[in-house]
Amino acid sequence: MKKSLIGKNLDEFSDLCIELGLENFRSKQLFNWMYRNEVNDLTELKNLPKSLIEDLKIGHCIHPLELINSTNSSSEKTNKFLFKTQSGALIESVLMNEKNRVTLCISTQVGCALDCKFCATAKMGFKENLSVGEILDQYLLARQKINKPITNIVFMGMGEPFLNYKNVIKAAKLLNDPNGINMGSKRITISTAGVISKIEEFTKSKEKFKLAISLNGTTNEQRTSIMPINIKNSLDELLNVARRYTETVNRWLTFEYVLLKEINDSVEDAKRLLSMLAGMKKCKLNIIPYNETDGEFRRPDKDQIENFVIALRPAKFPITVRWSKGTDIDAGCGQLATRNQV
Ligand code: SAH
């Protein structure tokens, strides 16, 4: 299998230059071709000698992913992209068009190991981690296809980003690199189901990207019943690391809360949420009315959602309700699962 050039950082391009017996300034050229000039074929690398291109071609390719299909939702506000990895696995990304914002939701793993009961990706089980190149290429290929700038990236597609931590952080750094894609760190959000050790690592290394935590429950019992990760990463500990995060980095933290009918949608839940998040510095709460998949879970009725939101009114922190886009093409949160395997 050929190694992809997309996914390498400048140091890795330098190593490649040593391997191929080239002067180091070539590493910068290769970096630019990949992330600034967005080339698709090695022959497009015009400032490189032909012999070098021939050498490169033997063991390397540019893109680790192949675009298999893209769909538009009826509202034309959402596009879903299906990609094939080099190992033959299928992954999805979703593009959401709003007024001034074009957000791409990207995958970090094939399948997922966490088994959240309400999530379609969980049904696939865990298949493999995506490489740095496979994470990044979802952005590069989607961008070419839509032919307009993507303003925001959310790591909220298939998989648990913090169980593929090293590759996710490396990909985020490449997206952010001012010499390359140059997407601002505040426009890059990583969402975790609550892997405590990795939230600690993220805090300690003071990563500048935005963090979101999927809370989804207000008691341990309730959260464990829908998110088995809560057995080893309990609610109290999760809130403690979240608090330490906001105090250490002084950045906004988003809590996501998927609203599930008769599971976590009562007024008592809303009140518990208020007290859980009361002392938290700089946090936001994002309520996501459930997008139904083939499972047993349901979205609460409009009245219930409204009651829940009304009960949250005393909150001192900002609250948003996210009506997912693209649910008609199964591109809403938690609806990503690749049925057609190659
Ligand atoms: N594993 C990461 C990122 C993927 S899920 C995480 O858990 O954060 C992204 C968000 O979608 C999470 O907040 C998750 O709880 C939510 N979600 C999952 N399935 C959903 C569904 N069917 N409807 C609405 N939101 C869902």
Side-chain angles (χ1 to χ4, degrees), residues 247-298:
E247 284 161 9
T248 311
V249 302
N250 196 26
R251 282 197 192 90
W252 285 90
L253 167 65
T254 302
F255 287 101
E256 292 160 285
Y257 193 91
V258 180
L259 211 52
L260 301 159
K261 183 175 175 136
E262 284 161 21
I263 305 276
N264 63 4
D265 63 342
S266 69
V267 168
E268 285 69 43
D269 283 308
K271 287 184 178 155
R272 275 194 292 267
L273 259 181
L274 282 180
S275 60
M276 281 161 70
L277 306 184
M280 199 83 60
K281 199 177 152 192
K282 282 195 167 182
C283 80
K284 298 183 200 177
L285 179 63
N286 194 354
I287 306 289
I288 317 169
Y290 184 59
N291 298 316
E292 296 183 3
T293 62
D294 2 349
E296 75 220 67
F297 295 94
R298 294 284 162 260

Side-chain angles (χ1 to χ4, degrees), residues 72-89:
N72 281 354
S73 83
S74 53
S75 60
E76 297 287 335
K77 289 216 164 123
T78 315
N79 310 61
K80 186 151 98 165
F81 300 92
L82 183 69
F83 297 105
K84 187 159 85 175
T85 68
Q86 281 180 317
S87 71

Side-chain angles (χ1 to χ4, degrees), residues 118 156-157 159-161 191-193 214 216 256 258 288 290-291 333-334:
F118 50 83
M156 293 187 189
E160 166 50 42
S191 176
T192 176
S214 300
N216 303 347
E256 292 160 285
V258 180
I288 317 169
Y290 184 59
N291 298 316
C333 291

Side-chain angles (χ1 to χ4, degrees), residues 49-50 91 96 160 177 215 249 268-269 276 304 308 321:
K50 282 224 165 68
I91 54 162
M96 293 156 283
E160 166 50 42
D177 194 318
L215 201 55
V249 302
E268 285 69 43
D269 283 308
M276 281 161 70
Q304 190 58 28
F308 191 84
V321 181

Side-chain angles (χ1 to χ4, degrees), residues 92-103:
E92 290 177 322
S93 327
V94 179
L95 189 90
M96 293 156 283
N97 298 287
E98 289 152 287
K99 262 181 253 143
N100 306 322
R101 214 186 252 215
V102 181
T103 304

Side-chain angles (χ1 to χ4, degrees), residues 62-328:
I62 295 181
H63 292 283
L65 294 181
E66 186 190 336
L67 179 64
I68 301 288
N69 197 8
S70 60
T71 4
N72 281 354
S73 83
S74 53
S75 60
E76 297 287 335
K77 289 216 164 123
T78 315
N79 310 61
K80 186 151 98 165
F81 300 92
L82 183 69
F83 297 105
K84 187 159 85 175
T85 68
Q86 281 180 317
S87 71
L90 295 176
I91 54 162
E92 290 177 322
S93 327
V94 179
L95 189 90
M96 293 156 283
N97 298 287
E98 289 152 287
K99 262 181 253 143
N100 306 322
R101 214 186 252 215
V102 181
T103 304
L104 186 70
C105 175
I106 58 178
S107 296
T108 55
Q109 297 183 313
V110 182
C112 185
L114 290 184
D115 200 25
C116 296
K117 301 301 173 197
F118 50 83
C119 179
T121 307
K123 307 251 171 359
M124 297 173 64
F126 173 70
K127 302 272 165 55
E128 61 190 46
N129 276 330
L130 294 183
S131 65
V132 179
E134 288 165 338
I135 297 171
L136 206 58
D137 213 16
Q138 295 170 64
Y139 164 83
L140 291 166
L141 291 176
R143 215 211 67 74
Q144 286 189 14
K145 182 83 185 160
I146 58 159
N147 224 357
K148 67 179 164 189
I150 292 172
T151 61
N152 295 66
I153 295 278
V154 292
F155 288 79
M156 293 187 189
M158 296 161 73
E160 166 50 42
F162 276 4
L163 291 183
N164 188 12
Y165 187 85
K166 236 175 81 200
N167 290 352
V168 163
I169 297 294
K170 253 174 117 174
K173 285 188 169 156
L174 279 168
L175 281 167
N176 176 233
D177 194 318
N179 296 313
I181 296 166
N182 195 21
M183 182 174 293
S185 57
K186 290 202 178 104
R187 295 176 177 275
I188 301 170
T189 302
I190 304 175
S191 176
T192 176
V195 183
I196 286 176
S197 59
K198 296 299 173 192
I199 300 175
E200 280 171 336
E201 191 172 338
F202 190 81
T203 307
K204 225 162 135 193
S205 41
K206 299 210 161 71
E207 299 300 351
K208 313 173 280 180
F209 314 111
K210 277 175 48 180
L211 180 65
I213 297 178
S214 300
L215 201 55
N216 303 347
T218 61
T219 68
N220 270 317
E221 200 190 352
Q222 181 196 52
R223 191 167 189 267
T224 299
S225 74
I226 50 173
M227 297 178 75
I229 188 183
N230 193 66
I231 299 168
K232 291 204 174 131
N233 297 259
S234 73
L235 209 46
D236 296 338
E237 275 180 81
L238 183 58
L239 291 170
N240 281 338
V241 289
R243 198 166 291 119
R244 277 202 293 279
Y245 171 79
T246 58
E247 284 161 9
T248 311
V249 302
N250 196 26
R251 282 197 192 90
W252 285 90
L253 167 65
T254 302
F255 287 101
E256 292 160 285
Y257 193 91
V258 180
L259 211 52
L260 301 159
K261 183 175 175 136
E262 284 161 21
I263 305 276
N264 63 4
D265 63 342
S266 69
V267 168
E268 285 69 43
D269 283 308
K271 287 184 178 155
R272 275 194 292 267
L273 259 181
L274 282 180
S275 60
M276 281 161 70
L277 306 184
M280 199 83 60
K281 199 177 152 192
K282 282 195 167 182
C283 80
K284 298 183 200 177
L285 179 63
N286 194 354
I287 306 289
I288 317 169
Y290 184 59
N291 298 316
E292 296 183 3
T293 62
D294 2 349
E296 75 220 67
F297 295 94
R298 294 284 162 260
R299 172 182 283 204
D301 333 321
K302 270 225 154 94
D303 285 355
Q304 190 58 28
I305 299 175
E306 220 172 277
N307 288 341
F308 191 84
V309 174
I310 290 171
L312 286 171
R313 269 195 193 145
K316 299 231 164 46
F317 46 84
I319 299 169
T320 45
V321 181
R322 187 206 296 164
W323 297 98
S324 276
K325 295 167 188 68
T327 44
D328 60 326

